[in-house]
């Protein structure tokens, strides 16, 4: 028997990190949002991806929840590019490090935050189809229930049903390498660490570990995480414990009495990107929009940042604050970011190929990255701190993330990121108090008179001229920079936060 249709403003297919972050952003903006997730709970078999980069930690800090992750993760002030270490400790950010934290913990903590917000969950169900019209989307679930939404967001992974059903092309490159990853118990003590041979890279490590002085120190006992490069690419069957055992014997000469698998999966360097991130009232984010090799740990981070870019824009469209055309900026801004991630992951895969010519190239790249300028440039890129949205010519801050400055305000000392906790746009007046007037947008944009006497420094770029004012979007990116005048401010406010109140119908 068919269940009656339930209505929501936005339905999100997929409750992984991207879907959870998007739901949180929408809920903060007062949007009625629901997540459809096939798992009956947030539990995730195995640890999957691991690690949060500096910009993602900054985003979590912008929402006031970074400490929840920092209290459980392992800080490492060294990144890497295809195995070449990158010192990131001098990046101009409050978080100049990578945080070691497996995806199952990342999801659990994110879900805890989302659970504090008015978000509806449909667990143990999947989106099986949808039909969109001029006013919304009818979403069909696997249990026969139907949902009606103004917008549908596909955060349902690399095999996204939403992307396929929308007819959005997914061009790219087929895999050249394949690897097994498993969490298992072993009867014998394994040879922990990384191993390289003619097949590629392999590794065994305890699931539980610490990072001390930039070095991984594994627990003395407990389950192990195994990664094995496979001899052949293109397997279509699900991997088994026998595959793991055979792979261990091939590389280590023994399977160490492997048993009791918690999870076994396969990953490749398949590299694809959605041709469009939007089709009418259907949007894509995270792995549904882009897949690539895990080198550099950029996939989860890119997806979370997709969600934060999309969330406030979609909320403004749903609330009729902004026209639907604002959503075009989502593809325009995020598609190039992921395209570069695809390029850098392909480069990293190429650099770790196990032959002497590639080794010579890797050594050359390592020598190059030991110099400060290229090191800083790559560190900013790999940590997500150098993202630059093309918002036109102007001050170097324009289109880049706003630094988390320690401001002096009439309410006392405040960090910039603290002012972004509620995901509202922010105009920081750093000049004469009362020198900027945004009265027609006062219902949407928070105006703060403040001072900052320190240095303005951007990742990879270095020091920049101090502005007189900055307009900061809810995602933490700068939409307008003042030079002592209000030239261009009204246009920026209209573009990003809708027409002035007196001009609205």
């Amino acid at each position: 028997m068919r269940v009656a249709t339930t209505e929501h403003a936005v339905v999100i297919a997929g409750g992984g990190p991207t879907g959870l972050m998007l739901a949180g952003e929408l809920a903060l903006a007062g949007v009625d949002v629901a997540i459809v997730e096939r798992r009956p709970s947030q539990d995730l078999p195995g640890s999957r991806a691991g690690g949060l980069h500096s910009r993602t930690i900054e985003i979590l800090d912008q929402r006031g929840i970074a400490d929840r992750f920092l209290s459980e993760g392992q800080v490492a002030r060294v990144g890497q590019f295809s195995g070449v270490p990158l010192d990131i400790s001098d990046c101009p950010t409050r978080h100049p490090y990578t945080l070691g934290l497996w995806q199952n913990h990342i999801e659990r903590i994110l879900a805890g935050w989302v659970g504090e917000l008015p978000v509806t969950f449909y667990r143990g169900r999947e989106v099986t189809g949808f039909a969109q019209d001029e006013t919304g989307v009818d979403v069909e679930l696997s249990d026969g229930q139907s949902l009606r939404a103004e917008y549908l967001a596909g955060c349902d992974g690399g095999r996204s049903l939403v992307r396929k059903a929308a007819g959005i092309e997914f061009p790219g490159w087929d895999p050249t390498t394949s690897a097994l990853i498993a969490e298992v118990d072993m009867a014998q003590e394994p040879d922990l660490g990384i191993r390289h041979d003619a097949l590629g890279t392999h590794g065994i490590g305890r699931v539980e570990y610490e990072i001390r002085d930039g070095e991984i120190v594994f627990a003395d006992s407990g389950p192990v995480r195994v990664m094995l490069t496979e001899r052949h690419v293109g397997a279509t069957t699900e991997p088994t414990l026998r595959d793991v055992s055979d792979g261990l014997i091939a590389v280590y000469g023994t399977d160490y009495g492997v048993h009791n698998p918690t999870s076994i999966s396969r990953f490749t360097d398949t590299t694809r990107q959605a041709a469009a991130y939007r089709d009418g009232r259907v949007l894509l984010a995270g792995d549904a929009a882009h897949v690539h090799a895990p080198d550099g740990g950029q996939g989860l981070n890119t997806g979370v940042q997709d969600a934060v870019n999309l969330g406030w824009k979609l909320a403004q469209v749903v609330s009729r604050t902004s026209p639907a055309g604002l959503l075009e900026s989502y593809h325009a801004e995020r598609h190039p970011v992921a395209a570069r991630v695809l390029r850098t992951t392909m480069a990293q895969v190429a650099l770790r190929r196990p032959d002497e010519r590639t080794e010579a190239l890797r050594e050359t790249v390592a020598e190059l990255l030991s110099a400060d300028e290229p090191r800083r440039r790559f560190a900013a890129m790999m940590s997500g701190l150098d993202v630059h949205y093309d918002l036109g010519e102007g001050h170097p801050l324009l289109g880049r993330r706003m630094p988390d400055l320690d401001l002096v305000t009439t309410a006392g000392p405040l960090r910039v990121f603290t002012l972004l906790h509620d995901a509202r746009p922010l105009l920081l007046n750093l000049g004469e108090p009362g020198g900027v007037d945004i009265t027609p947008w006062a219902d949407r944009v928070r105006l703060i008179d403040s001072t900052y006497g320190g240095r303005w420094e951007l990742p990879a770029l270095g020091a920049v001229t101090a502005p007189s004012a900055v307009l900061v979007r809810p995602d933490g990116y700068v939409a307008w920079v003042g030079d002592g005048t209000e030239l261009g401010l009204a246009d920026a406010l209209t573009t990003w936060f809708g027409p002035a109140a007196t001009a609205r119908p």
Side-chain angles (χ1 to χ4, degrees), residues 209-421:
Y209 67 95
E210 292 183 7
I211 298 176
R212 301 175 191 164
D213 299 323
E215 298 291 328
I216 295 176
V217 180
F218 294 111
D220 293 332
S221 61
V224 298
R225 196 169 193 252
V226 178
M227 196 279 285
L228 299 164
T229 301
E230 296 187 282
R231 186 177 301 276
H232 302 291
V233 179
T236 57
T237 58
E238 290 297 316
T240 65
L241 184 61
R242 177 61 182 271
D243 293 324
V244 176
S245 174
D246 289 346
L248 285 166
I249 292 170
V251 175
Y252 297 90
T254 175
D255 69 0
Y256 298 108
V258 63
H259 65 283
N260 192 28
T262 303
S263 67
I264 304 174
S265 59
R266 173 180 284 114
F267 69 86
T268 72
D269 65 333
T270 297
T271 305
R272 298 188 179 279
Q273 185 175 23
Y277 282 16
R278 179 191 176 205
D279 176 63
R281 292 179 174 272
V282 177
L283 300 125
L284 303 177
D287 288 356
H290 41 77
V291 297
H292 49 80
D295 296 61
Q298 296 181 88
L300 184 153
N301 291 270
T302 306
V304 168
Q305 292 170 45
D306 286 346
V308 175
N309 183 286
L310 174 60
W312 66 274
K313 297 173 181 177
L314 186 53
Q316 288 186 179
V317 171
V318 167
S319 66
R320 310 295 187 264
T321 300
S322 296
L326 179 62
L327 295 176
E328 294 302 316
S329 69
Y330 169 58
H331 172 96
E333 292 179 353
R334 294 305 298 173
H335 193 277
V337 170
R340 186 171 69 159
V341 170
L342 265 61
R343 185 185 69 190
T344 58
T345 54
M346 286 194 292
Q348 290 179 83
V349 170
L351 279 173
R352 63 175 166 83
R353 288 187 179 130
D355 62 75
E356 293 180 358
R357 285 178 170 81
T358 303
E359 178 62 27
L361 177 60
R362 185 164 52 250
E363 290 174 356
T364 302
V365 170
E367 183 177 349
L368 174 68
L369 293 181
S370 67
D372 276 349
E373 196 282 332
R375 176 187 61 81
R376 290 193 182 104
R377 183 180 296 271
F378 270 64
M381 176 182 69
M382 297 302 293
S383 60
L385 292 170
D386 73 335
V387 170
H388 179 212
Y389 300 137
D390 184 6
L391 304 188
E393 297 295 322
H395 193 282
L397 272 169
L398 188 63
R400 289 187 167 90
R401 38 74 84 184
M402 177 68 188
D404 184 26
L405 308 179
D406 290 306
L407 304 172
V408 176
T409 74
T410 55
L414 281 172
R415 292 169 50 204
V416 170
F417 287 3
T418 300
L419 295 169
L420 291 171
H421 283 185

Side-chain angles (χ1 to χ4, degrees), residues 51-73:
L52 295 174
H53 293 315
S54 296
R55 181 55 191 155
T56 306
I57 301 169
E58 285 192 339
I59 283 172
L60 299 170
D61 201 353
Q62 289 173 188
R63 297 301 177 255
I65 58 174
D67 286 348
R68 304 186 189 194
F69 298 85
L70 295 174
S71 67
E72 295 194 29

Side-chain angles (χ1 to χ4, degrees), residues 36 78 133 184 200 224 240 286-287 381 418 432 434 452:
V36 180
V78 177
D133 54 43
V184 295
V224 298
T240 65
D287 288 356
M381 176 182 69
T418 300
E432 190 69 26
Y452 176 71

Side-chain angles (χ1 to χ4, degrees), residues 6 8 34-37 120-125 141 145 147:
T6 302
H8 298 281
I35 294 177
V36 180
E37 167 56 42
T120 301
F121 279 87
Y122 294 91
R123 293 195 179 276
R125 283 163 276 190
L141 306 188
Q145 185 171 0
L147 305 178

